[in-house]
Amino acid sequence: MLSVGDPNTRGDPLTTAYASGKVILFGEHAVVYGRPAIAVPVTQVRACAEIQAAPSGQGLVIRALDLDLTHRLGAAIATDHPAYPLEATVRNTLNTLAIQAIPDLTLTVSSTVPMARGLGSGAALAAAIARALAQHFGKRLAPSEVSDLVYQTEIIHHGTPSGIDNTVIAYEQPVYFVRGQPIEVLDVGRRFWLAIGDTGIRGPTRIAVGDVRRSWQQDPTRYEALFDRIGAIASRARQALVEGDVGTLGPLMNENQELLEAIGVSSPELEALIHSALQAGAWGAKLCGAGRGGNMVALVDARRTKAVAAALRRAGAKGVIVSHVDRH
Ligand code: PMV
C-alpha cells in the first residue's frame, strides 16, 4: 500500500499512500440504529495522498487536485469549506503521531473514488492522508488508529456516522459491523463478483440520514421494525458470505432493497439500474450507501459480469465498476 522514495521533478523523496473505496452490501441506515451491516472494500477505485518535503517556513500546504484547491494549514476557513475536512484530518493525524510543530510539507491528494456516491470517497481520502503522514514520519498506525482518525473526519462530513465506512476502509477487508462492538473481519467462503452502477446523482449522506431520523422520530414503531428486518438480513448474509453461498445472498440483497425503499431512501434512477442488472441475470441487487442517488450494487456470476455491466450502461449508468471480493 505504501511506497517511499519515488523521485519527483524536484528530486525530493515522495511518500505515497493509498486507500480503497468500499460498498455496503447489507444494512446501511439500520446500522446507524445499532443493527449489523456488512461492507467490503472496492480496490478498483482509490484515494491517493502524496507528501513532499517543502522549504523551511512554508508550513503545511494541502493541494486537492480534484477539487482544484490549495490550502495552507491554519489559514482561516469556514467549517463548510471543502478544505476543512482535509485540514482536520491532517491536524488529528499529527496529534495522534505526537508531532507538535506544523511541519514544512506539501500534501497532494487525488482520488478515483466518485464523490458523494456511497463509495466512501471522504473516508478513503482521510485514510490515505493518515497513512501517508505516518509513513512520512517513519511511524506506524494500526488499522484501528486509522479507523479512529477517519471516523473524526466522517463526523465532519456526515454528522452522525455509524462507523462502518471508516472501519472497512481502514481494515481493507470485508467487515461485519455493529456500532460500538469490536469489528469482525469476514473470511468469505469464495470469490464473488460485484457490478456497481453509478446513477451520476450525488447522494449526500447527511441529508438522507437526517430524513430517515425524522421519519423514525415520527413513527418509531414502524422504523424500528424495518431496521430489525434489515438487521436480520445482514446477519443471515454474514453466514451466507462465510459459506460462499451466493444462491442465498442474491435474494437477501433484493429483500434488503425492498426495505430500503420502504424507509424512503431509494429513487427511480437507482431502481432502473437495479432492474436492468436483475434482467441481465444478476443474482441480486440493491442501492448501496445512503441512497437517493449514488450507486447500486449487484451480485453477479463471474460469467455474467460483462452482460450486467453493459445492461447497466444501457440503462443510463454514468459509470460501472466490476469488482470482486476475495478470500484473505
Ligand atoms: O456515506 P455512504 O453513502 O457510504 O453511506 C453511509 C451509510 C449509512 O448507513 C447511510 C450511514 C452510516 O453512517 O452508516
Side-chain angles (χ1 to χ4, degrees), residues 86-132:
L86 302 174
E87 156 125 11
T89 307
V90 169
R91 283 193 182 279
N92 292 337
T93 306
L94 292 176
N95 232 350
T96 299
L97 297 173
I99 311 283
Q100 315 291 352
I102 293 180
D104 296 311
L105 294 175
T106 301
L107 167 67
T108 305
V109 296
S110 60
S111 179
T112 57
V113 188
M115 279 197 327
R117 303 289 219 302
L119 296 186
S121 58
L125 211 49
I129 291 172
R131 288 176 179 154

Side-chain angles (χ1 to χ4, degrees), residues 8-326:
N8 59 38
T9 46
R10 286 191 17 185
D12 296 336
L14 277 180
T15 304
T16 307
Y18 301 97
S20 303
K22 60 87 212 183
V23 281
I24 300 179
L25 288 183
F26 296 96
E28 50 273 269
H29 286 290
V31 68
V32 175
Y33 299 82
R35 275 53 164 205
I38 295 172
V40 299
V42 175
T43 52
Q44 285 72 10
V45 284
R46 61 184 188 175
C48 171
E50 251 177 25
I51 293 179
Q52 184 180 358
S56 166
Q58 176 197 274
L60 198 155
V61 170
I62 303 170
R63 295 167 59 227
L65 301 182
D66 309 306
L67 303 173
D68 200 17
L69 72 78
T70 300
H71 169 72
R72 192 166 177 281
L73 203 75
I77 39 170
T79 53
D80 61 354
H81 190 281
Y84 186 79
L86 302 174
E87 156 125 11
T89 307
V90 169
R91 283 193 182 279
N92 292 337
T93 306
L94 292 176
N95 232 350
T96 299
L97 297 173
I99 311 283
Q100 315 291 352
I102 293 180
D104 296 311
L105 294 175
T106 301
L107 167 67
T108 305
V109 296
S110 60
S111 179
T112 57
V113 188
M115 279 197 327
R117 303 289 219 302
L119 296 186
S121 58
L125 211 49
I129 291 172
R131 288 176 179 154
L133 283 169
Q135 180 72 12
H136 178 81
F137 290 105
K139 305 201 176 197
R140 240 193 77 74
L141 285 176
S144 61
E145 291 175 295
V146 174
S147 183
D148 289 348
L149 284 166
V150 176
Y151 184 73
Q152 296 309 316
T153 309
E154 288 287 280
I155 291 174
I156 297 167
H157 284 299
H158 301 154
T160 54
S162 65
I164 189 167
D165 283 14
N166 48 288
T167 303
V168 64
I169 283 170
Y171 285 82
E172 295 195 322
Q173 301 281 352
V175 295
Y176 181 79
F177 177 87
V178 184
R179 199 171 187 165
Q181 291 187 16
I183 77 138
E184 185 182 331
V185 171
L186 291 182
D187 194 3
V188 298
R190 52 165 276 185
R191 168 180 276 197
F192 61 93
W193 291 83
L194 304 172
I196 301 163
D198 190 347
T199 60
I201 300 166
R202 290 172 72 90
T205 304
R206 185 187 280 272
I207 293 171
V209 170
D211 288 352
V212 172
R213 183 164 299 278
R214 269 184 294 283
S215 304
W216 170 74
Q217 281 162 346
Q218 276 159 19
D219 194 347
T221 312
R222 174 163 181 267
Y223 272 73
E224 284 294 325
L226 290 168
F227 296 151
D228 278 345
R229 288 173 64 194
I230 293 174
I233 288 172
S235 74
R236 277 157 65 203
R238 169 180 172 273
Q239 192 185 345
L241 275 169
V242 170
E243 290 170 0
D245 177 4
V246 281
T248 299
L249 286 172
L252 287 176
M253 287 174 86
N254 297 337
E255 275 180 51
N256 196 159
Q257 169 62 21
E258 278 171 30
L259 293 164
L260 287 163
E261 288 169 23
I263 67 174
V265 293
S266 189
S267 75
E269 293 83 358
L270 282 163
E271 286 161 33
L273 296 186
I274 290 165
H275 180 73
S276 77
L278 294 173
Q279 287 289 305
W283 282 313
K286 60 180 274 295
L287 69 85
C288 54
R292 297 278 166 76
N295 279 268
M296 50 67 69
V297 58
L299 182 69
V300 184
D301 184 291
R303 289 160 301 192
R304 300 292 299 163
T305 54
K306 284 207 174 85
V308 172
L312 286 170
R313 285 199 193 89
R314 276 197 305 277
K318 300 293 180 286
V320 178
I321 299 167
V322 173
S323 184
H324 47 81
V325 182
D326 288 304

